[in-house]
Amino acid sequence: METNVQVHDKEFELLLDEDAIAKRIRLMAIQLNVDYENRNPLFIAVLNGSFLFMADLMKEINLPCETEFIKVSSYHGTSSSGSVKDMMGMPANIKGRDIIIVEDIIDSGLTMQYILAEIYKLEPSSVAVCSLLFKPEALKVELPELTYVGFEIPNEFVVGYGLDYDGLGRNLNHIYRAISIEK
Ligand code: IMP
Ligand code: MG
């Protein structure tokens, strides 16, 4: 097992190893396969952070489904600004569809609140959020759509498996948490 990693100026220690992540994703997919049986959901992944999660999740989904990707940029360094700068690629075919938003992590929840507001404008028939990670202590808004959570984690900065620290660390196979962090 790998030990600590350094990303930019910070040291990180292992939080979730790749086997634990893969097992959890298989269970999440089983749940989705059951919950959306006989439906044709539209999965919308939020780039960049969710690219590995989305890929691994979709390999375990056996529903007739479609996949789209939106890109949101809002996050700087290790503390959430909560302001969404940009949103690109919202699909046009949302009306009347069962939408599953796939995210890497829900921190303050502000990014997801913004995305949800945009999606509701397009009149979907249902919306659920599926996030690999969730920091309950950091949540600042109500998020009743958050139905599928891989792991609840402490309010600490994490990298790996798609998640970055100022651009680096997305290619790490495991998820690591910052050992010391000035917020
Ligand atoms: P929120 O708006 O505070 O919920 O933050 C959402 C976005 O910030 C996520 O989609 C991530 O891209 C990023 N983010 C939040 N927490 C972390 C973290 O611990 N590591 C890396 N990125 C994070
Ligand atoms: Mg993200």
Side-chain angles (χ1 to χ4, degrees):
M1 188 62 63
E2 272 156 74
T3 50
N4 293 1
V5 296
Q6 175 93 23
V7 182
H8 291 300
D9 55 334
K10 292 193 193 307
E11 199 174 340
F12 291 82
E13 66 184 6
L14 187 69
L15 179 63
L16 299 164
D17 73 65
E18 59 184 333
D19 291 338
I21 297 167
K23 280 196 188 105
R24 186 70 191 109
I25 291 173
R26 279 198 288 276
L27 289 175
M28 295 174 88
I30 288 169
Q31 184 76 53
L32 286 161
N33 286 332
V34 170
D35 290 356
Y36 286 84
E37 199 181 355
N38 300 321
R39 287 194 275 170
N40 164 30
L42 170 59
F43 287 85
I44 302 177
V46 184
L47 295 172
N48 293 329
S50 68
F51 75 109
L52 291 177
F53 175 43
M54 179 67 161
D56 286 341
L57 183 71
M58 294 317 296
K59 288 188 254 180
E60 309 285 339
I61 295 291
N62 49 37
L63 303 160
C65 63
E66 286 144 76
T67 55
E68 295 281 352
F69 297 84
I70 58 173
K71 181 157 179 165
V72 174
S73 49
S74 62
Y75 204 76
H76 306 283
T78 57
S79 74
S80 183
S81 68
S83 60
V84 174
K85 275 192 308 184
D86 259 331
M87 184 148 88
M88 282 166 37
M90 185 60 81
N93 56 339
I94 283 179
K95 192 172 171 129
R97 300 295 306 276
D98 294 310
I99 306 298
I100 302 167
I101 308 174
V102 177
E103 214 356 343
D104 52 353
I105 187 165
I106 304 289
D107 185 44
S108 69
L110 291 166
T111 305
M112 188 51 66
Q113 189 182 50
Y114 181 89
I115 294 168
L116 285 164
E118 293 300 308
I119 287 180
Y120 283 125
K121 287 181 197 167
L122 302 171
E123 300 175 33
S125 102
S126 74
V127 185
V129 174
C130 174
S131 184
L132 180 63
L133 305 176
F134 174 40
K135 297 179 185 170
E137 292 155 32
L139 193 67
K140 290 185 186 154
V141 294
E142 282 187 26
L143 226 48
E145 295 86 352
L146 182 56
T147 313
Y148 306 95
V149 170
F151 300 93
E152 293 194 358
I153 62 169
N155 190 8
E156 289 165 324
F157 194 77
V158 295
V159 290
Y161 193 70
L163 293 120
D164 72 307
Y165 168 38
D166 274 351
L168 296 184
R170 294 195 197 275
N171 55 322
L172 296 165
N173 291 348
H174 313 295
I175 293 174
Y176 299 82
R177 68 161 161 219
I179 289 176
S180 66
I181 162 175
E182 49 282 61
K183 278 233 170 191

